[in-house]
Structure formats: C-alpha cells, structure tokens
Amino acid sequence: MTKTTTIAATNATPRRKGAAPAPAVAASPWAPVSHRERQREAKRNAVLQAAAQLFNERGFHATSLDDIAARLNVTKPTLYYYVKNKDEILLQCVSQGLTMMLEGIDASRAAGGKAIDQLITCMQVYARIVTQDFGMCLIRVGDEQVPPESRKELRRLKSAIDQEFRRLVAEGVSEGSLAPCDPKMTAFVIAGALSWIGRWYKPGGQYTPEQVAAQCIDTLLGGVLRRVDVPQPVAVSAAAPRRKRSAGD
C-alpha cells in the first residue's frame, strides 16, 4: 500500500458496525424556481398572443375569455393564473405593440447615420410591426377600449413615437434630404399611412410584410405624381382627332 493510500485509510471515518447506509436524497418533482418562472412567462405570453389574434379577427367586444381559453385548449379558470380580466389582456397587448415600436425606433436612432436613413429605418420598423399580432391589435382595437386609468400612459408612448418622427423629418429637411415641409403634419401623414396597413393587411395574402412596407414607404417618399426634368408640351399632331358630328349626333 502506498503512503497516500495509507493516510487516506487512516483519516477515513470508520462506519459503525451494523449502521445503516445514509439515505439517498430524493429528487424533487418540481422544477427550479427560475425554470417555473420562465414557463409561467411563456404561458402568459401565449395567452396574450392568442387574445391579440382573436381581437384582430373578431373585435374586442366580440371576444370572450372562453374564446381565448378555447384557442389555447385550456379552461377559462386557467387564464386567471396569468391575467386578471379581459381589460388587462387588451392593455398588455396594446402596450406590447407600442413597446416593440419604441424599441425598434430607439435601435435605429442608436445606429446613427443621416436623418433620412434613420427615418426610413423607423418607417420600416413601424410598417413591419403593424402586420404582427400586437401591432395590429394596437391599430385595430386602439387605446379607446383600454380602461381610462391606463389610457394616459399609452398615449404618452404614442406621443414619443410621434415626436421621434417629427425630429427625424425636421433633421431631414435641415440636411437637405427632404423637401421643406411642416414636420408635425408630415409626421402625422407618415404614421397615419403606415398605421392603416394594420387595418387592411392579411397574413398569407399577395404581398409579404416586407413587400407591403417597401411599397408603402416608396410611395410616401416619392409621391404619386410623375416627375420629369423638362415638361414636354403636347404636340398638336399627337392629339386624338375629333370625330365629325353626324346627323344623328
């Protein structure tokens, strides 16, 4: 026996003769707290997602908690583990849509670049989100249905988005990338036009969300009038000949 083995054997606590071995620690059937919290948050998000889809499809008042539970294959009482009532569900859905917009706009601002580049990125973010469940819910249902005590906060978030569009339009005019305009009115037009996508867009339609956003933004930036460098007068010979009047006319 080596010296190390001898020391280990000497220091080991001898088991008392006839003593039973220590019982094994039983494994807990419950997941760790952090895991349970993640699961609860995932289920809560699923409730909100299903609710937003139904609000978009049927309208807020025509959707019940029973409808939301049925969409998720759970019972109505199960929903109360994650939400208080339908008003709270709507508030969270609309808040999610606004928060997604603000986070996307903040990211575009942090990326830097010219004002026109930031403005286009913000428009792309806005257009993309209103084709998604929470953004669409924000547009189709609106904050008018939200309890009055929460309406003020939602309108504050909307105002923050509006102010960002105004700032970028004003900076675009200053740098010469945008034609002179009233930043307030222009911001209203941009947000109004892009918001309306959430009213008429249908997933799985002819255009993808990216194609919808691109076409709408191109129209907003370029307008619909055909522009030519030098106006060309209409040649007389090119005009359609007038038909002679007949006796029957």
Side-chain angles (χ1 to χ4, degrees), residues 108-132:
S108 68
R109 179 173 56 189
K114 291 184 176 181
I116 183 61
D117 297 325
Q118 293 184 45
L119 177 62
I120 292 172
T121 301
C122 288
M123 293 167 72
Q124 291 169 338
V125 167
Y126 198 105
R128 183 180 72 250
I129 290 174
V130 297
T131 63
Q132 298 173 6

Side-chain angles (χ1 to χ4, degrees), residues 9 35 61 69 75 88 107 123 130 134-135 166 169 201 236:
H35 183 62
H61 293 297
T75 62
E88 187 202 10
M123 293 167 72
V130 297
F134 293 125
R166 292 190 200 188
V169 170
Y201 174 75
V236 175

Side-chain angles (χ1 to χ4, degrees), residues 42-249:
K43 291 177 180 178
R44 184 173 181 278
N45 287 335
V47 171
L48 298 179
Q49 190 97 32
Q53 292 171 355
L54 286 166
F55 293 159
N56 294 335
E57 295 167 10
R58 307 180 184 183
F60 175 69
H61 293 297
T63 300
S64 67
L65 288 177
D66 287 314
D67 296 327
I68 299 170
R71 176 68 61 96
L72 293 166
N73 297 317
V74 298
T75 62
K76 180 178 175 179
T78 302
L79 298 181
Y80 293 112
Y81 285 103
Y82 310 102
V83 292
K84 294 179 181 178
N85 49 45
K86 197 171 78 166
D87 283 343
E88 187 202 10
I89 292 176
L90 177 60
L91 173 61
Q92 292 302 316
C93 289
V94 173
S95 296
Q96 284 265 40
L98 283 170
T99 300
M100 290 165 65
M101 287 180 181
L102 281 171
E103 288 176 349
I105 289 172
D106 287 344
S108 68
R109 179 173 56 189
K114 291 184 176 181
I116 183 61
D117 297 325
Q118 293 184 45
L119 177 62
I120 292 172
T121 301
C122 288
M123 293 167 72
Q124 291 169 338
V125 167
Y126 198 105
R128 183 180 72 250
I129 290 174
V130 297
T131 63
Q132 298 173 6
D133 292 328
F134 293 125
M136 197 178 292
C137 183
L138 170 65
I139 302 304
R140 293 190 179 185
V141 180
D143 57 11
E144 295 81 6
Q145 309 290 343
V146 172
E149 62 272 13
S150 302
R151 202 172 300 157
K152 185 176 180 180
E153 174 62 14
L154 293 178
R155 289 180 176 173
R156 184 190 67 79
L157 296 175
K158 283 187 176 182
S159 177
I161 295 172
D162 172 61
Q163 291 299 322
E164 189 63 19
F165 274 124
R166 292 190 200 188
R167 181 187 69 82
L168 290 173
V169 170
E171 290 184 7
V173 172
S174 296
E175 73 183 16
S177 59
L178 293 178
C181 62
D182 181 338
K184 176 181 177 180
M185 291 299 299
T186 303
F188 283 167
V189 170
I190 290 173
L194 297 179
S195 293
W196 206 250
I197 295 173
R199 293 275 183 180
W200 53 258
Y201 174 75
K202 290 185 178 180
Q206 182 179 357
Y207 302 107
T208 66
E210 292 76 19
Q211 290 172 328
V212 168
Q215 292 191 51
C216 289
I217 292 170
D218 284 347
T219 300
L220 285 169
L221 293 177
V224 295
L225 292 178
R226 182 181 179 186
R227 289 173 171 79
V228 292
D229 294 334
V230 181
Q232 299 294 323
V234 178
V236 175
S237 60
R242 181 180 298 176
R243 185 170 62 89
K244 293 182 178 180
R245 293 173 61 88
S246 63
D249 287 346

Side-chain angles (χ1 to χ4, degrees), residues 31-51:
V33 173
S34 60
H35 183 62
R36 293 202 301 271
E37 288 176 349
R38 287 196 299 270
Q39 279 192 327
R40 186 180 187 282
E41 187 62 21
K43 291 177 180 178
R44 184 173 181 278
N45 287 335
V47 171
L48 298 179
Q49 190 97 32

